[in-house]
Amino acid sequence: MDISPILNGFGVVLEPANLLYCFAGVIIGMLIGVLPGLGPGATIAILLPLTYGIGPVPAIIMLAGIFYGAQYGGTITSVLLRLPGEASSVVTVFDGFALAKQGRAGTALGIAAIGSFIGGTVSILGLTLLAPIVAGFALDFGPPEYAALGVLGVLLISSVGNGHKLKAIIAACVGLLLATVGRDTFTGAERFTFDSLNLAEGIDFVPLAMGLFGLSEILYNIEERHNQVHSPAKVGNVWPSRKDLRQSKGAIGRGSLIGFFLGVLPGGGATLSSLAAYAFEKRRAKRPERFGKGAVEGVAAPETANNAAATSSFIPLLTLGIPANATMALIFGALLIQGIQPGPQLVAQHPDVFWGVINSMYIGNILLLIMSIPMVGVFVRILRVRPAILAPITVLITLLGAYTVNNQVYDLFLVIVFGLLGYLMKKLGFEPGPLVLAFVLGSMIENSSRQSLLIFGGDPTGFFTRPISGTVLALVVLVAVLPLILKALRRRRPAGRADDTVEENAP
């Protein structure tokens, strides 16, 4: 393996400007993780306009820092307030807050910081080793393979993601529909524009993302939390004892592996990884009744897993151009804004971006470990600021950011419309993630499919004659059909058992 590109990547990261953006991203991520409800997705959406004014390398380094920095920030509110700052920190509440009530909040935060660092570092090593291999394999991809991968990505994020599957599929279909708005790339015909010149060029990704993730989250969390008053728990010694480290080392190791592999899967992500790691530790424990009452492993496992998953989710994004989750879809959009197409050619065409982003995570994880423990006192003070004060400031920043992209009032209108749509979606149990991901992938699916049909002379069976696209489409069918088969088997089992019972009781 040629390590010269990796070393050059460290040279890119160690440039003063890139180091500054890495530091800024990690700090912003930690602060956002502390503020319940806002999250890295909303923050990245709000900050997308800032990426216009800086280069692609510092822009993506900063956004990546926000993403994995927020994973640890969410731990602080989970432990001190029993209030997850991030969805991926929900499981940490069970044992983290129990430890805080025992006067061991510092221990919980310390073990979370160590686990986050180890999980993130292990995942970065895996990313360094596997990403070039995946990218080299993906060089054989053409329009049919991209079309098949796009369909698989939308289907997986709809079926594997959080929430009700049918609602996720509906949201993804809406995203695909919104992606068709504007002029047809092949014929120039206008579609769903309603004779509006503003819609002729399609819907811009930035106002859509800022509305669905930024404004909608603010509106929803104001309603949910404006009557809640919390008093943060006191923080003592933040360095875990030898006994705590000994109890946690296995959970940290297993959480690193679980997080890495689940983070690569579309729809997996940090939340699913933290849940899986916690469930695995509880199942294998000799005394599972300890979990939920202050087990250190109950903090170490999910916190390690969610940081490992946050890092490994960059593998499908950078090598295949497939966002593994909603936040990756936003970073995907940020790369497109910079004129860079994520995918197999990224390593060859933009090695500074590819290796710069990967190697920045080494530096970012070290910064997280150094800063997380001393800054706990600052975060506790931030938690005392009322949402009624923070929300108007955030709304103002969101609207100003949207306006500065194209200097058009129409973009503000789009942000408000999609903000209200996102708010209603959350109230009705719909997640905006599948919609945004489908919107991002929609154009790729349509263009690649139509290019493929031109190659195949209009014969759709050509997708199945190519080895890679045929295999991916077989996976699509499997993912779509397997839940139906399992559901049918579950229905038959009770009936079969009932028949057996009748036969046994028969004279």
Side-chain angles (χ1 to χ4, degrees), residues 152-286:
L152 179 62
V154 173
L155 182 61
L156 283 174
I157 197 67
S158 301
S159 58
V160 183
N162 302 322
H164 196 279
K165 291 182 180 179
L166 179 60
K167 291 182 178 180
I169 292 171
I170 293 172
C173 290
V174 173
L176 291 173
L177 179 64
L178 292 174
T180 64
V181 174
R183 290 193 181 93
D184 189 310
T185 308
F186 289 80
T187 66
E190 293 188 357
R191 304 179 299 188
F192 306 112
T193 61
F194 305 102
D195 296 327
S196 170
L197 293 177
N198 291 313
L199 288 175
E201 298 302 322
I203 296 174
D204 197 352
F205 173 78
V206 173
L208 180 139
M210 294 179 77
L212 284 174
F213 282 98
L215 189 58
S216 68
E217 290 287 341
I218 296 165
L219 295 174
Y220 182 77
N221 285 291
I222 287 175
E223 181 183 11
E224 291 293 312
R225 308 187 189 280
H226 76 283
N227 288 325
Q228 298 182 17
V229 178
H230 302 279
S231 179
K234 293 182 179 180
V235 179
N237 180 25
V238 293
W239 189 253
S241 65
R242 289 186 178 180
K243 180 182 177 182
D244 295 325
L245 292 172
R246 189 168 56 252
Q247 287 180 329
S248 303
K249 63 181 182 181
I252 290 173
R254 289 183 289 271
S256 299
L257 296 177
I258 291 172
F260 177 79
F261 287 109
L262 288 183
V264 174
L265 297 176
T271 304
L272 180 61
S273 301
S274 63
L275 288 168
Y278 185 87
F280 184 81
E281 290 302 316
K282 185 175 181 180
R283 179 169 293 182
R284 72 178 303 277
K286 294 180 180 179

Side-chain angles (χ1 to χ4, degrees), residues 303-466:
E303 287 302 311
T304 302
N306 66 28
N307 273 268
T311 302
S312 63
S313 58
F314 279 86
I315 291 179
L317 173 71
L318 297 177
T319 59
L320 299 176
I322 301 296
N325 52 58
T327 308
M328 288 295 104
L330 295 172
I331 297 178
F332 182 98
L335 283 165
L336 294 179
I337 288 170
Q338 295 286 346
I340 295 175
Q341 177 67 48
Q345 299 294 333
L346 184 62
V347 183
Q349 295 179 354
H350 302 281
D352 55 335
V353 175
F354 185 85
W355 290 111
V357 171
I358 291 177
N359 291 345
S360 72
M361 296 180 188
Y362 289 105
I363 309 296
N365 267 276
I366 294 172
L367 290 174
L368 269 176
L369 183 65
I370 294 172
M371 294 185 300
S372 57
I373 294 176
M375 290 187 67
V376 168
V378 177
F379 295 140
V380 171
R381 292 189 182 90
I382 292 172
L383 291 172
R384 300 183 188 275
V385 180
R386 290 181 299 166
I389 297 174
L390 290 173
I393 298 173
T394 311
V395 171
L396 179 62
I397 293 171
T398 302
L399 294 177
L400 284 175
Y403 180 77
T404 56
V405 174
N406 298 313
N407 294 326
Q408 291 183 356
V409 177
Y410 178 74
D411 288 342
L412 300 181
F413 173 75
L414 284 180
V415 171
I416 294 170
V417 168
F418 285 115
L420 294 174
L421 174 63
Y423 167 77
L424 292 175
M425 288 176 68
K426 293 186 73 67
K427 292 289 288 183
L428 296 173
F430 289 84
E431 288 294 327
L435 189 155
V436 175
L437 178 62
F439 178 81
V440 170
L441 294 177
S443 298
M444 183 185 79
I445 293 172
E446 181 187 8
N447 292 335
S448 298
S449 299
R450 294 172 73 175
Q451 288 171 1
S452 302
L453 289 173
L454 288 174
I455 295 171
F456 301 142
D459 183 9
T461 60
F463 287 99
F464 296 93
T465 60
R466 293 168 66 107

Side-chain angles (χ1 to χ4, degrees), residues 18-27 61-62 65 68 360 363-364 367:
N18 293 334
L19 274 177
L20 179 62
Y21 280 105
C22 180
F23 177 77
V26 168
I27 288 289
I61 284 176
M62 181 182 70
Y68 57 80
S360 72
I363 309 296
L367 290 174

